[in-house]
Amino acid sequence: MHADTFGTFDDTLASGPRRTPLHALHLRRGARMVPFSGYDMPLHYPAGLLKEHLHTRAGAGLFDVSHMGQIALHADDPADAARALEALIPADILGLRSGRQRYGLLTDAAGGIRDDLMVARFGDRLVLVVNAANKAADLAHLRANLPAAVTATPLDRALVALQGPAAEAALARLAPEVAAMRFMDAADIPILGQDCLVTRSGYTGEDGFEISVPGFAAEALAEALLADGSVMPAGLGARDSLRLEAGLCLHGSDIGPGTTPTEAGLAWAIPSVRRAGGAREGGFPGAARILAEIAAGPPRRRVGLRPEGRSPVRAGAPLFADAAAPEPVGIVTSGGFGPSLGAPVAMAMLPIALAAAGTRLLAEVRGQRLPVQVVPLPFVPAGFKRG
């Protein structure tokens, strides 16, 4: 696969949308392709978004997420890489054991979220999975801020996500070892004769796996998984509706540089060892603001919303306290139809005084103010294998 069609972190090399190693498979299976984060990606297949979503909840959906960035961090002493990364991420990387993965946040000096990511330890190296739209900036940020003893190398590999309650059985037919993995485990596992990096994680709220595989072997792996009757190909549309039902953040919509981890409801990703009084308190960008908000509470918070009618309330819709209010009190950050619930769902950022479950507000949609209610997240309980 040519560097200008897949794997590069430099958008300037491509004259148009790049292609993942699964592009030909998507076309063969009749996917509707759309540009997304610089790539030509499947929005949905002939079965449609609704069936792909519901099948993932009941069986297993296979998603091409090769547009995401994969970055390996190396140092002669693995502890040096972990310690250096902790200067950029308020997580316990030093305590991350080999064979485990952790969610983390790249913060900025103002306490905002540059990106959210996954960090896994495979033996003596750390492997990060970062958002597609931010991967070039993230790599530059890491290289500019990590010491010379720590190298950050982009990985030219495909990435597929097998998600749903049938994911374990489907993948175990090819790699029996995965059945012993639990949520957030990470392992080097050979699959179809290729070295794969497997994590038991995903972006749907369901049990499942993300599999990093050499690009040339991605299509054979995908076809082998799709040969299982429980597995259906799924596109970006179902991925978004599944993560919304699961109450998971989308960077650039629900979180970003203007949002702190506490406002986003992500303070759980900052462990006690990095908080006030912890053994490695602070030391990351924006620590003063973030730790102060953990102690005193943030001024606003991400919440779930349930519109009372059938009309979806989309991202960007302003929220009002009542029908006569001249100024909005908040904004919808993500919204759409929840296929598992048969009803619209949304997330929003609201002042703390209005963020309690049961609060009733009005969302403005096409000039009309429609009733919505603040509800707890997630909308659909997680199905992770924790034991």
Side-chain angles (χ1 to χ4, degrees), residues 14-294:
S15 58
R18 288 167 285 169
R19 297 175 176 181
T20 76
L22 294 177
H23 189 266
L25 181 148
H26 301 320
L27 297 183
R28 283 200 311 273
R29 290 180 173 266
R32 178 187 171 194
M33 306 298 287
V34 296
F36 183 79
S37 293
Y39 285 83
D40 198 23
M41 296 292 292
L43 180 63
H44 60 75
Y45 297 84
L49 185 160
L50 180 66
K51 287 186 177 178
E52 293 169 16
H53 177 115
L54 295 175
H55 187 88
T56 302
R57 290 272 187 245
L62 184 66
F63 300 82
D64 180 8
V65 289
S66 301
H67 60 307
M68 303 288 281
Q70 301 177 68
I71 303 171
L73 300 186
H74 294 267
D76 289 341
D77 182 349
D80 289 343
R83 194 174 294 108
L85 190 56
E86 284 195 358
L88 302 177
I89 297 177
D92 180 9
I93 308 299
L94 276 167
L96 182 61
R97 305 188 311 275
S98 181
R100 291 291 289 166
Q101 181 176 241
R102 192 156 285 163
Y103 178 75
L105 303 162
L106 277 172
T107 54
D108 63 25
I113 301 171
R114 296 178 62 100
D115 203 3
D116 63 336
L117 48 82
M118 304 299 289
V119 186
R121 181 179 290 284
F122 295 92
D124 63 351
R125 70 198 189 283
L126 297 170
V127 175
L128 283 55
V129 177
V130 303
N131 283 298
N134 300 328
K135 63 183 181 180
D138 287 351
L139 181 62
H141 178 66
L142 290 166
R143 287 176 166 171
N145 289 282
L146 293 173
V150 181
T151 60
T153 306
L155 300 181
D156 188 2
R157 297 173 68 89
L159 189 66
V160 296
L162 182 66
Q163 300 285 290
E168 178 186 294
L171 185 56
R173 290 186 179 92
L174 306 179
E177 308 97 303
V178 303
M181 296 177 70
R182 58 194 172 94
F183 182 55
M184 298 296 262
D185 275 352
D188 286 286
I189 296 177
I191 305 177
L192 299 180
Q194 301 297 328
D195 293 330
C196 294
L197 307 179
V198 181
T199 61
R200 193 154 196 163
S201 60
Y203 194 47
T204 62
E206 293 292 338
D207 184 24
F209 302 86
E210 292 195 343
I211 308 161
S212 174
V213 56
F216 68 85
E219 187 170 319
L221 173 59
E223 290 287 16
L225 290 169
L226 291 168
D228 187 303
S230 68
V231 181
M232 172 184 283
L236 294 173
R239 190 166 186 255
D240 191 55
S241 58
L242 287 159
R243 73 90 194 167
L244 176 56
E245 288 186 346
L248 300 175
C249 293
L250 174 63
H251 194 273
S253 296
D254 308 295
I255 56 175
T259 313
T260 66
T262 43
E263 291 175 329
L266 298 175
W268 57 266
I270 304 175
S272 58
V273 71
R274 306 301 308 278
R275 296 186 181 196
R280 298 192 303 284
E281 171 186 344
F284 52 86
R289 178 182 177 185
I290 292 169
L291 296 183
E293 285 189 359
I294 289 175

